Amino acid sequence: MSQFLNGALRRLTPYTPGEQPRNQAYIKLNTNESPYPPSPGVLAALNRAEGENLRLYSDPEAVELREALAARYRVERESVFVANGSDEALSFAFLAYAADGRGVAFPDISYGFYAVFARLYGIPVRQVPLRADFRLAPEDYNHLHRTIVLANPNAPTGLALSRDEVEGIVRANPDAVVVVDEAYVDFGGESAVPLTARYPNLLVVQTFSKSRSMAGARLGYAIGDAALIQDLEAIRFSTNPYNVNRLTLRTGAAALAEQDYYDANCAAIVDTAPIPSGGWRRLASPAPTPGRTSSLPAIRQRTAGTSTGGSRSAGCWCAASTPPASGDYIRITIGTRAQMDALLERLEGLL
Ligand SMILES: *Cc1c(COP(=O)(O)O)cnc(C)c1O
């Protein structure tokens, strides 16, 4: 760091993204990307004419994409915010609803970026411990008088609250915004989007990165009461009005027109999940927690041989899970059936 850095930023602990190994020899299972390519319409949209249009700025209102999202989720366009990845939408929500001393609450085991945003904006954090079985107890979130951020399904546990449980938390905190991060909802969770019409304090954040095979395009969105969306828009127009690039706006809309393709891929991932967990049960115990994400998030390591480093030496690149569970667990993205078979075979060799 330089001597010139803003004092408030000197104690930042930036988020460490999952590594992107250049070596294609690895079976890459560390960042919950989809093993399937984007749909044909997305690939077709990446044509020469769109390339030539890159000389133009993107639509700062993102009208086409927001209307497509509004139609898909049966909400008004004014209830939809689009972002450069859902990380951006989450970052704006932390800034909008907690950076004035109100503070934020989230589970002690969850998406690692929440703590990073809180530090960046100087937000006091209350970490709410999960129960011993990794379950999130909704009653722990009643009347907290601060912004609440929940990944649902949670990552890396893969465990989900029902829509009714989310609604209970939203009702129990009428003086605070409840942000529900639904990055994995398409793998079998119950979305809270239908509740957004009734609760002015509920913001649901989703992404094209996991279930829609577009992690590299950087596209996320938030759905909520139009007043909440205006708050996020005020931040966006104060930082980067062209936050989503032209190609991503086009390909995002194209992806929404091919929902069946993505539904089939999600079903394949959900169907594939029991293969590695069943195999793991043979190799090691205890068994992984059941999950509703695109990863097997909480597989307990039996020996050093199955650590992230160990699995890497077997040609599989997996992720260590977040503290306080890190070291004890590795998180394995669900890939194709062939990738999962290869993973198990290599781990078997290792053990
Ligand atoms: C992957 C992930 C994100 C970030 O998604 P992007 O849209 O790629 O920024 C947010 N929350 C959770 C829980 C995730 O797993």
Side-chain angles (χ1 to χ4, degrees):
M1 118 186 29
S2 83
Q3 58 176 307
F4 306 107
L5 183 66
N6 166 356
L9 296 182
R10 287 178 175 268
R11 285 181 306 125
L12 271 190
T13 343
Y15 182 71
T16 313
E19 285 172 82
Q20 300 294 342
R22 264 181 250 269
N23 184 344
Q24 295 285 322
Y26 285 104
I27 302 176
K28 188 176 177 310
L29 303 170
N30 67 332
T31 47
N32 294 355
E33 291 143 326
S34 174
Y36 303 108
S39 55
V42 169
L43 302 179
L46 295 168
N47 58 27
R48 188 177 180 99
E50 282 304 324
E52 288 173 356
N53 276 337
L54 284 178
R55 72 191 177 79
L56 303 170
Y57 280 110
S58 57
D59 173 13
E61 306 288 346
V63 170
E64 182 196 6
L65 177 61
R66 286 170 68 213
E67 283 184 346
L69 283 164
R72 162 84 176 82
Y73 292 102
R74 299 172 202 281
V75 296
E76 299 297 315
R77 191 220 294 173
E78 292 67 33
S79 293
V80 181
F81 177 82
V82 297
N84 190 318
S86 59
D87 286 338
E88 185 181 61
L90 291 165
S91 164
F92 287 4
F94 273 72
L95 181 57
Y97 304 118
D100 57 357
R102 247 178 301 185
V104 70
F106 48 80
D108 62 341
I109 300 175
S110 194
Y111 183 43
F113 225 137
Y114 303 152
V116 175
F117 292 137
R119 273 210 133 170
L120 173 63
Y121 299 126
I123 297 170
V125 172
R126 181 187 301 181
Q127 293 204 333
V128 183
L130 295 181
R131 300 301 168 93
D133 55 1
F134 295 116
R135 211 173 47 84
L136 185 156
E139 59 270 26
D140 292 348
Y141 291 83
N142 290 344
H143 316 297
L144 294 187
H145 308 297
R146 51 172 69 211
T147 302
I148 294 170
V149 183
L150 301 173
N152 192 44
N154 196 11
T157 65
L159 300 178
L161 297 176
S162 69
R163 183 180 301 138
D164 287 347
E165 288 172 315
V166 171
E167 183 169 10
I169 294 171
V170 173
R171 290 172 74 106
N173 293 279
D175 62 344
V177 173
V178 178
V179 180
V180 183
D181 177 355
E182 295 188 346
Y184 298 102
V185 74
D186 296 333
F187 299 98
E190 254 184 356
S191 176
V193 165
L195 302 175
T196 55
R198 271 184 284 141
Y199 295 98
N201 63 326
L202 170 62
L203 188 73
V204 177
V205 177
Q206 294 193 5
T207 177
F208 280 66
S209 293
K210 313 285 164 50
S211 61
R212 293 194 184 98
S213 304
M214 283 175 56
R218 310 306 303 126
L219 183 59
Y221 51 101
I223 297 177
D225 189 79
L228 295 179
I229 300 308
Q230 280 169 18
D231 300 337
L232 303 182
E233 291 291 8
I235 297 176
R236 187 171 70 90
F237 277 91
S238 305
T239 51
N240 186 6
Y242 308 106
N243 62 334
V244 181
N245 72 73
R246 293 187 72 91
L247 289 177
T248 296
L249 289 177
R250 280 288 316 123
T251 52
L256 290 172
E258 293 177 319
Q259 188 63 42
D260 290 353
Y261 170 87
Y262 296 103
D263 289 346
N265 287 349
C266 289
I269 288 168
V270 170
D271 279 354
T272 304
I275 297 174
S277 64
W280 196 274
R281 218 165 271 128
R282 284 200 312 276
L283 291 175
S285 61
T289 60
R292 289 172 188 277
T293 63
S294 59
S295 63
L296 272 186
I299 289 180
R300 198 183 284 275
Q301 294 173 204
R302 188 174 65 167
T303 66
T306 56
S307 66
T308 49
S311 60
R312 200 167 298 178
S313 69
C316 302
W317 203 290
C318 304
S321 72
T322 30
S326 59
D328 289 342
Y329 297 87
I330 60 174
R331 187 191 71 193
I332 299 172
T333 301
I334 306 298
T336 62
R337 194 165 279 247
Q339 286 177 319
M340 295 296 98
D341 288 342
L343 166 78
L344 283 173
E345 198 174 296
R346 292 179 192 192
L347 288 178
E348 231 151 5
L350 205 65
L351 291 166

